[in-house]
Amino acid sequence: MTEYDVVVVGAGPAGSTVASLLADRDLSVLLLDKDVFPRWKPCGGGLTIKTLNRYPYIKEIVDSYTYGGCVYSPSLKQYVSKTMEEPLIAMVSRSRFDDYLVRRAVEKGVIFQDNSKVLDIVVSSENVKIFLDNGEMYNSSLVIGADGFSSIVARKTKLLDSRRNVGICIVKETSISKEVLDEFYTEKRIAYIYPGLEGITGYTWVFPKRDMLNIGLIHYHRGENTSNYNLKKILVDLIYKLKEKKLLPLEVDDSDLKGGAVPVYPLDKTYSNRVILCGDAAGLINPLTGEGIYYAMASAENAADTVSEAFKKDDFSESSLSIYETRWKKDFGEDIGTIIPSSKIWRRDYEKLVEIVKRDPILTELLLQLITSQVSIKSIKGKILRRYLIASIFK
């Protein structure tokens, strides 16, 4: 079969989710990905609790839950920590998680083709033609780009020219016994954050899972010169410092580091004639933490509703598909817009910030809730600012 109602490019959480939802509505869907599945993606693998609440079926693939967090100052001399009764975030293995979502889509009737790199996309008034590197070509009424930061769909359809604002990440995941992880991070799997190391605009994380440890770094490049930052060296130096201080298991080394990039801001436009962009391809991400799975799956849901209506009207024009952007902005756009100014927190003096925050346990808890997306920034921004001001005045 070379003709489908919809071709989805990219089989991450956005692509698999929108493909599943469209198959539920009796549309023929081809899901393409350039990689061979299962595949691992550079990512911390944290799922917010609101993601689980909105998509409860993914609870069966959760690897572990994190019940607390600890934030260290760049000197590693000060820290603030908090443990909760309820989980702050859920952890998954991205290779298992993404593969699970793909298999779920296939069970619903989606045709999945991995190891299939898209070379070109040609949109006409009649259809969309998708050309692959193996010489194959597919026709569809509509194409959905869920193919990440460097989206070929966005580039070929002129929705993306270049990104000046990016998050550059380096990640390593190591298999470690549950007993060792219990010893270092307790059964509550406490997560550790190290912001502003060596002056970077971002943070390093250590995320313990059931029998794996994920350590990584993200640096937000917002148009400024970052050539002075050797991000790999910063992460490697931290690994050995933490091992010396017995804050990291000896099994973790500096081999097999993987790099990647994420967007920081949404694209100016996330649709055009016969085209919709979801998730990272559209720039939909939490600009404070870099978390994108919630926005990937939510934008996929918004896209499925829009595409379903387009087929009922037999109208795939830009005007018809514009409701997609209206939908995602109503769904979570306000949160992203409110978070963007707050993402400047990564430029702070962290020695001073940690010193101030540790004075107020309630402030610590509010910041944990914000970072883990348990509450909207709009609802607690005022409380955080007031408590931070009081804590900075009274020692």
Side-chain angles (χ1 to χ4, degrees):
M1 182 176 178
T2 59
E3 192 158 333
Y4 293 85
D5 292 325
V6 181
V7 171
V8 180
V9 182
S16 295
T17 299
V18 71
S20 290
L21 292 171
L22 292 175
D24 283 340
R25 300 172 200 200
D26 296 324
L27 295 175
S28 61
V29 183
L30 173 64
L31 177 62
L32 300 171
D33 199 280
K34 67 183 189 312
D35 294 321
V36 176
F37 271 57
R39 59 96 174 93
W40 189 76
K41 178 180 179 180
C43 174
L47 296 181
T48 60
I49 300 304
K50 71 177 181 180
T51 308
L52 300 186
N53 292 338
R54 184 163 177 168
Y55 305 101
Y57 58 86
I58 63 176
K59 291 179 181 178
E60 65 181 79
I61 197 66
V62 167
D63 183 87
S64 62
Y65 290 92
T66 293
Y67 288 82
C70 181
V71 179
Y72 269 84
S73 66
S75 68
L76 305 183
K77 294 178 180 178
Q78 300 187 87
Y79 68 89
V80 57
S81 63
K82 183 74 175 180
T83 303
M84 312 289 280
E85 291 299 319
E86 298 295 325
L88 288 170
I89 52 174
M91 292 292 177
V92 296
S93 158
R94 277 303 299 267
S95 60
R96 291 200 294 257
F97 181 70
D98 288 14
D99 193 53
Y100 164 83
L101 293 177
V102 167
R103 286 187 285 104
R104 188 172 184 272
V106 170
E107 288 171 1
K108 292 173 177 285
V110 172
I111 303 301
F112 175 55
Q113 192 171 310
D114 61 356
N115 197 26
S116 298
K117 184 177 180 179
V118 174
L119 292 183
D120 200 8
I121 295 168
V122 178
V123 180
S124 71
S125 59
E126 300 297 320
N127 62 15
V128 182
K129 296 185 184 299
I130 296 97
F131 298 87
L132 305 187
D133 62 347
N134 61 6
E136 293 179 345
M137 187 271 286
Y138 294 99
N139 294 316
S140 65
S141 296
L142 188 143
V143 63
I144 296 177
D147 47 338
F149 173 81
S150 299
S151 170
I152 185 71
V153 178
R155 286 184 281 123
K156 290 295 183 179
T157 58
K158 309 300 182 185
L159 289 171
L160 172 64
D161 180 18
S162 64
R163 297 189 199 262
R164 294 185 65 250
N165 303 298
V166 304
I168 304 165
C169 60
I170 302 174
V171 187
K172 176 182 177 63
E173 196 157 81
T174 305
S175 294
I176 298 178
S177 72
K178 178 181 180 299
E179 291 72 24
V180 171
L181 293 175
D182 286 348
E183 178 185 348
F184 274 82
Y185 306 103
T186 80
E187 292 183 354
K188 288 186 174 288
R189 292 298 186 263
I190 306 302
Y192 285 75
I193 301 293
Y194 303 87
L197 293 177
E198 304 296 331
I200 67 167
T201 307
Y203 65 97
T204 301
W205 69 83
V206 177
F207 288 168
K209 304 180 183 182
R210 182 182 59 199
D211 53 8
M212 292 181 290
L213 189 70
N214 185 291
I215 182 168
L217 173 153
I218 185 166
H219 168 65
Y220 295 106
H221 168 47
R222 293 182 171 88
E224 70 269 19
N225 184 0
T226 60
S227 59
N228 293 330
Y229 293 117
N230 185 332
L231 300 180
K232 180 179 178 180
K233 184 177 184 300
I234 291 172
L235 182 59
V236 169
D237 286 349
L238 179 66
I239 287 173
Y240 287 100
K241 283 180 184 177
L242 294 181
K243 288 165 71 171
E244 287 175 8
K245 292 179 177 291
K246 301 189 186 305
L247 294 173
L248 196 70
L250 292 175
E251 291 90 333
V252 181
D253 59 29
D254 61 0
S255 65
D256 200 29
L257 299 177
K258 303 293 185 183
V262 296
V264 177
Y265 303 131
L267 294 182
D268 292 336
K269 194 176 170 195
T270 56
Y271 64 94
S272 66
N273 289 318
R274 297 184 182 272
V275 180
I276 282 177
L277 303 178
C278 296
D280 282 12
L284 303 178
I285 199 168
N286 183 318
L288 177 63
T289 64
E291 190 280 321
I293 293 177
Y294 176 80
Y295 301 104
M297 297 181 74
S299 63
E301 189 178 344
N302 301 146
D305 290 340
T306 302
V307 171
S308 179
E309 291 176 2
F311 272 94
K312 289 177 182 176
K313 297 184 296 183
D314 193 27
D315 183 355
F316 309 102
S317 67
E318 182 174 300
S319 175
S320 172
L321 299 181
S322 65
I323 190 65
Y324 163 65
E325 195 160 294
T326 302
R327 280 192 165 107
W328 71 250
K329 285 183 176 180
K330 183 178 179 181
D331 189 349
F332 53 78
E334 184 179 17
D335 258 8
I336 290 179
T338 307
I339 291 170
I340 286 173
S342 301
S343 62
K344 294 178 182 177
I345 190 175
W346 300 126
R347 301 170 188 261
R348 292 276 188 151
D349 176 350
Y350 286 101
E351 292 295 331
K352 183 178 179 181
L353 181 64
V354 172
E355 179 188 351
I356 291 171
V357 171
K358 69 188 294 187
R359 299 173 191 163
D360 184 351
I362 295 177
L363 177 58
T364 302
E365 185 173 336
L366 288 171
L367 287 171
L368 274 178
Q369 289 175 348
L370 173 62
I371 292 171
T372 56
S373 299
Q374 295 209 351
V375 294
S376 71
I377 187 170
K378 186 177 181 180
S379 68
I380 64 168
K381 184 178 180 180
K383 293 179 184 177
I384 289 175
L385 291 175
R386 284 193 297 272
R387 297 203 74 94
Y388 181 82
L389 180 61
I390 293 170
S392 63
I393 295 173
F394 299 103
K395 296 186 179 181

